[in-house]
Amino acid sequence: MPAYTAPTKDMQFLLHDLLNVSKSDIEGYDELEADFTSAVLEEAGKLASDVLAPLNVVGDTEGCVLENGVVRTPTGFKEAFEKIKEGGWTALDCDPEYGGQGMPYVLATAVGEIFVSANMAFNMYQGLTHGAYSAIHAHGSAEQKAKFLPKMVTCEWTGTMNLTEPHCGTDLGLMRTKAEPQDDGSYKVTGQKIFISAGDHDMAENIIHLVLAKIPGGPEGIKGVSLFIVPKFIVNDDGSLGDRNGVSVGKIEEKMGIHGNSTCVMDYDGATGYLIGDMHKGMRAMFTMMNEARLGVGLQGYAQAEAAYQNAVIYANDRLQGRDVTGAKNPDGPADPLIVHPDIRRNLMDQKSFVEGARAFTFWGASLIDKAHKSGDKDAEGLISLMTPVIKGFQTDKGFEMATQAQQVYGGHGYIEEWGMSQFARDARIAMIYEGANGVQALDLVGRKLAQDGGKHVMAFFEMVKNFIKENDGNEALKADFLEPLKKASKDLQAAGMYFMQNGMKNPNNALSGSYDFMHMFGHVCLGLMWAQMAKASMEALEGGASDVEFYNTKIATGRYYMARQLPATSMHLARIESGADTVMALDAANF
Amino acid sequence: MPAYTAPTKDMQFLLHDLLNVSKSDIEGYDELEADFTSAVLEEAGKLASDVLAPLNVVGDTEGCVLENGVVRTPTGFKEAFEKIKEGGWTALDCDPEYGGQGMPYVLATAVGEIFVSANMAFNMYQGLTHGAYSAIHAHGSAEQKAKFLPKMVTCEWTGTMNLTEPHCGTDLGLMRTKAEPQDDGSYKVTGQKIFISAGDHDMAENIIHLVLAKIPGGPEGIKGVSLFIVPKFIVNDDGSLGDRNGVSVGKIEEKMGIHGNSTCVMDYDGATGYLIGDMHKGMRAMFTMMNEARLGVGLQGYAQAEAAYQNAVIYANDRLQGRDVTGAKNPDGPADPLIVHPDIRRNLMDQKSFVEGARAFTFWGASLIDKAHKSGDKDAEGLISLMTPVIKGFQTDKGFEMATQAQQVYGGHGYIEEWGMSQFARDARIAMIYEGANGVQALDLVGRKLAQDGGKHVMAFFEMVKNFIKENDGNEALKADFLEPLKKASKDLQAAGMYFMQNGMKNPNNALSGSYDFMHMFGHVCLGLMWAQMAKASMEALEGGASDVEFYNTKIATGRYYMARQLPATSMHLARIESGADTVMALDAANF
């Protein structure tokens, strides 16, 4: 069975060497002293290794079962969920007014990674609840908040988000689910929603569904969509549970992976719902949930790669096969371990340098969210809004690719289910699809985010890269291995942006045909920047006499790999983008 | 359920416009008139669409079951296998002396693609048999051939190859299975083999296992390995079946995909075996089988991508979602079909241009095999030997990637099993692993094939590319879109080879660290050459007044896409290679 150990040392490095959280002026960050964060992460790691990781294969093998209209989760999930609740893990960054602990999002992100790496399907029950909590917290009325949030903070009640219908996914304007106003101010919601993660299960007393629907007579398309709270059991005014609401599970989908999470078809048949926020403004409220969810999905991408990587390393050290061409490393054994072979190292270094870079990028993103939310910093908000599709799209594509590479290290043993490596790849695959397929992320990035606020945020990003390079100009240790590749990659990215500006006007397809490549370039430049910053922080720690010399040297060496072996992808992406839309759009639809 | 239609028009184009088979001087090619090959391919396509494709999902869902020591294949497999036998499809390119039809390998390759696209797991029962047939045909004694081949040609008896053991895959020198000589000239084979595809099933009277084992007292390691025929039932001298041999199925593996094929643990317990070829020279005989198998696996890569692509195109035309930004294409409908969106087209064009390029590469490879085998052409043999790891490694990596992209077109519907898109990706995944994991292919290419016969074959390949560019120098229609990108990519590939020569001497890791990238570069250059040749053939057909103008124009446009959007990958691979081994090998094993 695959093992998992939380990378707490790496996380501490990011929080304290790279982001310097406890010295930051972001509200609440002063609490994040190294001892405190270390204790929290170690405790989360223990729970992940001891309780969640052993259930990962169980969830995959047993899956969820629909019996007499109720979903049964895999053996052990219920008990594990109780432990998560008891430990207060569900409340970490929630509002103290509703029972939360009010911790910064960056700490919740680190804990989230640990839980997702250990058991992605399991963690989704909590993750979806947090998303629903955020939407109600941001857009619900005072009464709604008081009624629903305290139980959601503790995960006594869990949450879901209901967007997709059989005929519409990305294009939610086509939605058919309707919500008819009732005399008491509530609505009757009727329609079918599909792909509802954690749609039903046996681990909570109640499930709070957030459902997008149209109020008859409203505007056409996406402008006529409203958001509703539809509880599985009606909640009485005294907080007790009342009647079963008119919502039921049509079926559970058979999927490629995340079998431990129940992906449900939900049938709403005149179910009682309560409008959240303004009528017809449901998409705005839903976006609160989706933006948070997209960051969470981007995290799933590298978190699955991390779990797969850890096991690939164990196998590469254990499995004896072939000899080091430069001389036997295990001369007394029948063969050398796999890890002596250069191509196995290439494979592992791809994984390691991606995962650590993506973790830095994600933690930095989380700190921008804290800055935006806690300090009302509009620039931070604009920057994370720009980065969200990159974190989601790039990290989930790469995360799946890396999980697949980890599987490859096992050879045939990676293809059989016994070793658990197939599950990492199958589970990671969904992250490229849900919360907006990655093609839609690319479209969001190029079609919307680049030009947002007059292009201010992308300019700010380029400025940040430029400044970093300039500030460290005299740093010979950084120059050749980090600054120069970063400069080159950033120049490629700017050239691509310039191409879009010059050619997208006369034909928007020139920009849209290159959107996917642009998203990947952007991801590479962000990880390149992270690596340059991590290398700098590591060098400074070494100069400052840090005792763990090996840790910091490994960090620098891993960064060098990323700069030398991953960053050159930007030139390929640029060449593709600059070839324009003509070859992409040449064929008539009938000639495919 | 996914549909499949054999791309017979495309195959006819390759056979007759590109390879000009019936005008070639390769022995037997004069039979390959267009009418004849068309009739064969249409018939194979009918069988594939009507019989094999509908069983693909059945095989995935039901899988194979081990009951009372015997493997039961999925519903319908047995009847379908009878149809394949009745149609004589198993005998297509086999030796007429043993009941084969003696057709060229290139035709068998085209038919093979059709069957593999329709149902990869099913086709493996026949494919493995063909591999075993080839090894016995090449290395068996006259008596062995007479006894085993006729029934294997008809697939009344099927075959397997037994290499891997629990502790050794790539490094077969570690093998423990032993074969003890008996007084009657036979051997008693004892040991455990794993990952044996088609190891047992209920579709044939007998199964002929080819088993690698060590004869006690022989040389250490790989030089002491011999190859044995171990039939499931002993074959009497009159050809009738005798006693059950001492071989049994330990278990069937649970796998990520190809559930319709029984992947068995085989236990040999003093089973009677017959030595094939010379004692301790088993690897040579096994390589006959493996080289053929590697080409077959390279074919599986693009054949699965083809099947996935066909369904992605259907979905992209059917599914209405969003609007073309340049103006509605389906103004009377609620939305436009997915295929109007540039990023969906990028995705589909990636698939189309890869599959058609890989098909050309594979057919060309098959024609080289015919040339080598039928005309004893040593240059052709050297060239295909060089190309084998490229066809296997590059095409299966890309095939999986493209099947994954096809799945992505379906959004959430691609992740649930109902639509069948997950299966294409899961099935395609194995092709990157078996018959030598792709890292081993890269090692074979760079560590062995490049330098084979003094580097003669790689030089011949570069010469071929150079000559093609030179011969068409004045062709303005080809120049900018095809010749120049090909020249650039070929130059990158040569530079990488040069880097290996100059830096691999002082440290072989400089070459081995870049082997995987080199394999991919090589694949891109080969597909680039194929596309340039296909574009030229298409232009000539149009100039010659071919009636199907749209077909040829589509071919040229698809080629332009490959050259503009895929070939630029070579510069990225070159940059990685030229960064050398230092960053790859920097870490101590303990620091991963």
Side-chain angles (χ1 to χ4, degrees):
Chain A
M1 203 186 342
Y4 173 72
T5 309
T8 52
K9 202 166 177 180
D10 237 72
M11 291 176 164
Q12 286 286 89
F13 165 76
L14 293 180
L15 293 174
H16 304 290
D17 288 292
L18 187 76
L19 298 171
N20 271 307
V21 287
S22 62
K23 294 184 192 78
S24 147
D25 55 3
I26 301 173
E27 199 192 308
Y29 270 41
D30 52 345
E31 292 188 51
L32 301 178
E33 293 288 353
D35 286 352
F36 172 69
T37 61
S38 169
V40 171
L41 297 176
E42 290 297 337
E43 202 55 39
K46 216 165 152 297
L47 193 58
S49 300
D50 298 348
V51 179
L52 305 188
L55 291 176
N56 198 36
V57 172
V58 177
D60 187 54
T61 314
E62 290 188 16
C64 294
V65 183
L66 179 62
E67 277 173 350
N68 307 320
V70 181
V71 172
R72 184 161 44 78
T73 53
T75 308
F77 269 43
K78 204 166 174 172
E79 294 74 15
F81 204 61
E82 287 307 313
K83 285 194 178 156
I84 294 283
K85 291 184 207 174
E86 281 163 21
W89 295 106
T90 63
L92 208 60
D93 65 327
C94 293
D95 187 345
E97 202 178 328
Y98 304 102
Q101 299 177 29
M103 284 290 132
Y105 185 62
V106 74
L107 185 63
T109 298
V111 170
E113 182 199 312
I114 292 172
F115 292 165
V116 171
S117 285
N119 196 327
M120 174 166 153
F122 175 85
N123 191 257
M124 288 171 65
Y125 295 98
Q126 175 190 350
L128 269 300
T129 307
H130 196 283
Y133 155 89
S134 297
I136 298 174
H137 190 263
H139 302 280
S141 66
E143 290 76 17
Q144 287 171 341
K145 291 192 209 183
K147 194 168 189 175
F148 295 103
L149 293 187
K151 297 273 190 181
M152 294 176 77
V153 165
T154 58
C155 273
E156 285 166 277
W157 301 351
T158 63
T160 69
M161 48 199 292
N162 293 240
L163 292 80
T164 307
E165 298 182 7
H167 64 290
C168 73
T170 301
D171 190 352
L172 289 171
L174 303 174
M175 185 175 296
R176 288 179 196 146
T177 298
K178 62 178 187 217
E180 290 165 305
Q182 306 297 304
D183 291 343
D184 65 355
S186 73
Y187 290 78
K188 289 278 174 222
V189 178
T190 302
Q192 190 178 64
K193 294 288 181 177
I194 64 170
F195 304 155
I196 308 310
S197 298
D200 196 52
H201 58 85
D202 52 4
M203 305 194 296
E205 296 162 8
N206 201 4
I207 300 177
I208 310 306
H209 302 291
L210 296 199
V211 184
L212 285 181
K214 285 184 171 175
I215 300 168
E220 286 291 300
I222 199 74
K223 289 180 176 147
V225 167
S226 305
L227 183 63
F228 299 88
I229 297 175
V230 183
K232 179 176 174 181
F233 291 97
I234 299 292
V235 180
N236 298 322
D237 288 340
D238 65 357
S240 65
L241 295 187
D243 292 344
R244 186 76 162 75
N245 204 352
V247 48
S248 59
V249 181
K251 70 164 177 170
I252 299 187
E253 304 284 3
E254 291 294 331
K255 309 184 298 289
M256 186 177 182
I258 52 165
H259 295 147
N261 198 276
S262 56
T263 305
C264 299
V265 172
M266 301 300 296
D267 293 316
Y268 293 89
D269 186 14
T272 299
Y274 313 102
L275 181 69
I276 306 184
D278 296 335
M279 210 181 263
H280 314 316
K281 302 282 185 207
M283 285 311 290
R284 216 178 52 188
M286 197 45 117
F287 261 110
T288 302
M289 213 162 149
M290 279 210 290
N291 276 333
E292 177 182 319
R294 285 174 177 181
L295 289 169
V297 173
L299 180 150
Q300 288 180 334
Y302 83 81
Q304 286 304 290
E306 163 74 26
Y309 165 74
Q310 288 190 12
N311 288 283
V313 170
I314 293 169
Y315 192 79
N317 275 303
D318 284 353
R319 175 87 170 171
L320 305 181
Q321 209 78 183
R323 287 288 182 197
D324 187 333
V325 291
T326 64
K329 289 286 182 297
N330 177 34
D332 299 333
D336 288 340
L338 282 181
I339 203 160
V340 305
H341 301 298
D343 188 63
I344 294 287
R345 283 183 172 252
R346 168 202 61 82
N347 184 332
L348 294 174
M349 290 300 293
D350 278 353
Q351 296 173 54
K352 182 174 171 66
S353 65
F354 162 70
V355 167
E356 294 179 17
R359 178 178 297 125
F361 187 25
T362 305
F363 281 26
W364 176 49
S367 77
L368 287 175
I369 289 182
D370 281 325
K371 212 166 176 177
H373 289 185
K374 307 215 173 217
S375 315
D377 186 319
K378 289 284 165 203
D379 289 339
E381 192 173 336
L383 200 53
I384 187 60
S385 163
L386 171 71
M387 296 300 181
T388 298
V390 181
I391 291 177
K392 198 283 183 182
F394 175 73
Q395 291 189 179
T396 59
D397 275 1
K398 280 282 168 192
F400 172 68
E401 193 186 329
M402 292 302 112
T404 303
Q405 282 194 197
Q407 185 188 17
Q408 190 75 8
V409 172
Y410 281 68
H413 298 278
Y415 196 68
I416 61 175
E417 296 293 351
E418 191 181 330
W419 292 78
M421 299 306 286
S422 155
Q423 188 189 351
F424 292 128
R426 289 185 289 100
D427 285 2
R429 181 67 183 89
I430 188 57
M432 297 158 69
I433 297 173
Y434 61 17
E435 303 308 334
N438 286 355
V440 175
Q441 303 298 327
L443 182 63
D444 179 45
L445 176 64
V446 170
R448 185 163 23 191
K449 299 293 175 64
L450 276 189
Q452 210 169 39
D453 298 326
K456 182 179 163 190
H457 309 298
V458 71
M459 296 304 225
F461 174 75
F462 284 130
E463 200 64 22
M464 182 185 310
V465 175
K466 208 176 96 183
N467 287 342
F468 179 83
I469 294 170
K470 207 166 147 190
E471 283 161 19
N472 295 287
D473 195 32
N475 188 333
E476 289 305 317
L478 276 181
K479 197 161 188 174
D481 294 346
F482 291 94
L483 302 181
E484 281 169 14
L486 177 60
K487 196 172 180 177
K488 159 82 176 69
S490 168
K491 220 178 111 190
D492 285 346
L493 185 65
Q494 289 185 62
M498 193 59 77
Y499 176 85
F500 290 160
M501 288 218 289
Q502 289 169 344
N503 300 277
M505 291 293 214
K506 59 180 184 223
N507 179 4
N509 288 343
N510 279 323
L512 298 178
S513 299
S515 57
Y516 212 86
D517 282 288
F518 189 79
M519 178 174 78
H520 272 258
M521 284 181 95
F522 211 141
H524 278 299
V525 174
C526 289
L527 262 58
L529 175 64
M530 292 300 116
W531 272 119
Q533 291 178 345
M534 286 193 279
K536 187 187 174 186
S538 298
M539 290 170 187
E540 284 173 357
L542 288 170
E543 281 156 26
S547 60
D548 200 347
V549 176
E550 216 154 312
F551 175 83
Y552 291 108
N553 277 334
T554 298
K555 194 59 77 181
I556 296 165
T558 307
R560 280 203 189 102
Y561 181 90
Y562 194 87
M563 305 311 274
R565 292 249 166 188
Q566 290 297 321
L567 222 46
T570 59
S571 63
M572 172 187 73
H573 292 301
L574 178 60
R576 286 186 189 162
I577 288 168
E578 290 184 338
S579 74
D582 290 353
T583 63
V584 179
M585 306 303 290
L587 300 191
D588 284 344
N591 288 330
F592 274 86
Chain B
M1 203 192 332
Y4 173 71
T5 308
T8 51
K9 202 168 176 178
D10 236 71
M11 291 177 164
Q12 285 285 90
F13 165 76
L14 292 180
L15 293 174
H16 304 291
D17 288 291
L18 187 76
L19 297 172
N20 270 308
V21 285
S22 63
K23 293 186 193 76
S24 149
D25 56 2
I26 301 173
E27 199 192 306
Y29 270 43
D30 52 344
E31 292 188 52
L32 301 179
E33 293 288 352
D35 286 354
F36 173 70
T37 60
S38 169
V40 172
L41 298 175
E42 290 297 337
E43 203 55 39
K46 217 165 151 296
L47 194 58
S49 300
D50 297 348
V51 179
L52 306 188
L55 292 176
N56 198 37
V57 173
V58 177
D60 188 55
T61 314
E62 290 187 15
C64 294
V65 184
L66 179 63
E67 277 174 350
N68 307 319
V70 180
V71 173
R72 183 160 45 77
T73 53
T75 307
F77 269 42
K78 206 167 173 171
E79 294 74 13
F81 205 60
E82 286 307 313
K83 286 194 179 157
I84 293 283
K85 292 186 207 174
E86 281 164 21
W89 295 105
T90 64
L92 208 59
D93 65 328
C94 293
D95 187 344
E97 202 177 326
Y98 304 102
Q101 299 178 28
M103 284 290 132
Y105 185 62
V106 73
L107 185 63
T109 298
V111 170
E113 181 200 313
I114 292 172
F115 292 165
V116 171
S117 285
N119 196 327
M120 176 166 151
F122 174 85
N123 191 256
M124 288 170 65
Y125 294 97
Q126 176 191 348
L128 270 299
T129 307
H130 196 283
Y133 156 89
S134 297
I136 298 176
H137 190 264
H139 303 280
S141 66
E143 290 74 19
Q144 288 171 339
K145 290 191 207 180
K147 195 168 189 175
F148 295 104
L149 293 188
K151 296 275 191 182
M152 294 177 78
V153 164
T154 57
C155 274
E156 284 165 278
W157 300 350
T158 63
T160 70
M161 45 199 292
N162 293 242
L163 291 79
T164 307
E165 298 182 6
H167 64 290
C168 74
T170 299
D171 190 352
L172 290 171
L174 303 175
M175 186 174 297
R176 288 179 197 147
T177 298
K178 62 175 187 222
E180 290 166 306
Q182 306 297 304
D183 292 342
D184 65 355
S186 72
Y187 291 78
K188 290 278 174 219
V189 178
T190 303
Q192 189 178 63
K193 294 287 180 176
I194 63 170
F195 304 155
I196 310 308
S197 298
D200 195 52
H201 58 86
D202 53 4
M203 306 195 296
E205 295 163 8
N206 201 4
I207 300 176
I208 310 305
H209 303 291
L210 295 199
V211 183
L212 285 181
K214 285 185 171 175
I215 299 169
E220 286 290 300
I222 199 73
K223 288 180 179 149
V225 167
S226 306
L227 184 63
F228 298 89
I229 297 175
V230 183
K232 178 176 174 182
F233 291 98
I234 300 290
V235 180
N236 298 322
D237 287 341
D238 65 355
S240 65
L241 296 187
D243 291 344
R244 186 75 163 74
N245 203 352
V247 47
S248 59
V249 182
K251 70 164 176 168
I252 300 188
E253 304 284 3
E254 292 292 331
K255 307 185 299 289
M256 186 178 183
I258 52 164
H259 295 147
N261 199 277
S262 56
T263 305
C264 300
V265 173
M266 301 300 297
D267 293 317
Y268 293 88
D269 185 14
T272 299
Y274 313 102
L275 181 69
I276 305 185
D278 296 335
M279 212 182 261
H280 312 318
K281 302 283 186 207
M283 286 311 291
R284 218 178 50 186
M286 199 44 120
F287 262 109
T288 302
M289 212 163 150
M290 279 209 291
N291 276 333
E292 178 182 318
R294 284 174 178 182
L295 289 170
V297 173
L299 181 149
Q300 288 180 334
Y302 81 82
Q304 285 304 291
E306 163 73 28
Y309 165 73
Q310 288 191 13
N311 288 283
V313 169
I314 292 170
Y315 193 78
N317 275 301
D318 283 354
R319 176 87 170 173
L320 304 181
Q321 209 80 181
R323 287 291 182 194
D324 186 336
V325 290
T326 63
K329 287 288 181 297
N330 177 32
D332 299 333
D336 287 340
L338 282 181
I339 204 162
V340 305
H341 301 299
D343 188 63
I344 293 287
R345 284 183 170 252
R346 169 202 60 82
N347 184 333
L348 294 173
M349 289 300 293
D350 278 353
Q351 297 173 54
K352 183 175 173 64
S353 64
F354 162 70
V355 167
E356 293 179 17
R359 178 179 295 127
F361 187 26
T362 305
F363 281 26
W364 176 50
S367 77
L368 288 175
I369 289 182
D370 281 325
K371 213 166 173 173
H373 289 186
K374 307 214 172 217
S375 315
D377 185 320
K378 288 283 165 203
D379 290 339
E381 193 173 335
L383 200 53
I384 188 60
S385 164
L386 171 71
M387 297 299 181
T388 298
V390 182
I391 291 177
K392 200 283 185 182
F394 175 73
Q395 291 189 178
T396 59
D397 275 1
K398 279 282 169 189
F400 172 69
E401 192 187 331
M402 292 302 113
T404 302
Q405 282 195 196
Q407 185 188 16
Q408 190 74 9
V409 172
Y410 281 69
H413 298 278
Y415 196 68
I416 61 174
E417 297 292 351
E418 191 181 330
W419 291 78
M421 299 305 287
S422 156
Q423 188 189 351
F424 292 128
R426 288 185 291 100
D427 286 0
R429 181 67 184 88
I430 188 57
M432 297 159 68
I433 297 172
Y434 61 17
E435 304 306 336
N438 286 354
V440 175
Q441 302 298 326
L443 183 63
D444 178 45
L445 175 65
V446 169
R448 185 161 22 187
K449 299 295 176 66
L450 275 189
Q452 210 170 38
D453 299 326
K456 183 180 160 189
H457 309 298
V458 71
M459 297 302 227
F461 174 75
F462 285 131
E463 200 63 21
M464 183 186 310
V465 175
K466 209 176 96 184
N467 287 342
F468 179 83
I469 294 169
K470 209 167 145 190
E471 282 161 21
N472 295 286
D473 194 34
N475 189 334
E476 290 304 318
L478 276 180
K479 197 160 189 174
D481 294 347
F482 292 93
L483 301 181
E484 281 170 14
L486 177 60
K487 196 172 180 174
K488 159 85 175 66
S490 169
K491 219 177 111 189
D492 285 346
L493 185 66
Q494 289 185 63
M498 192 62 76
Y499 175 85
F500 290 160
M501 288 217 289
Q502 288 170 347
N503 300 278
M505 293 292 214
K506 59 180 185 222
N507 180 3
N509 288 343
N510 278 323
L512 298 178
S513 298
S515 58
Y516 212 87
D517 283 287
F518 189 80
M519 178 175 77
H520 272 259
M521 282 180 97
F522 211 142
H524 277 300
V525 174
C526 289
L527 263 58
L529 175 64
M530 292 299 117
W531 272 117
Q533 291 179 344
M534 287 194 278
K536 187 187 172 186
S538 299
M539 289 170 187
E540 284 173 356
L542 288 171
E543 281 156 24
S547 60
D548 201 347
V549 176
E550 216 153 312
F551 174 83
Y552 290 108
N553 277 334
T554 298
K555 193 60 74 180
I556 297 164
T558 307
R560 279 201 189 103
Y561 181 90
Y562 194 87
M563 305 310 276
R565 292 248 166 189
Q566 291 298 320
L567 223 46
T570 59
S571 63
M572 171 186 73
H573 291 300
L574 178 61
R576 286 187 189 162
I577 288 169
E578 290 184 338
S579 74
D582 290 353
T583 63
V584 179
M585 307 303 292
L587 300 191
D588 284 345
N591 288 330
F592 275 87

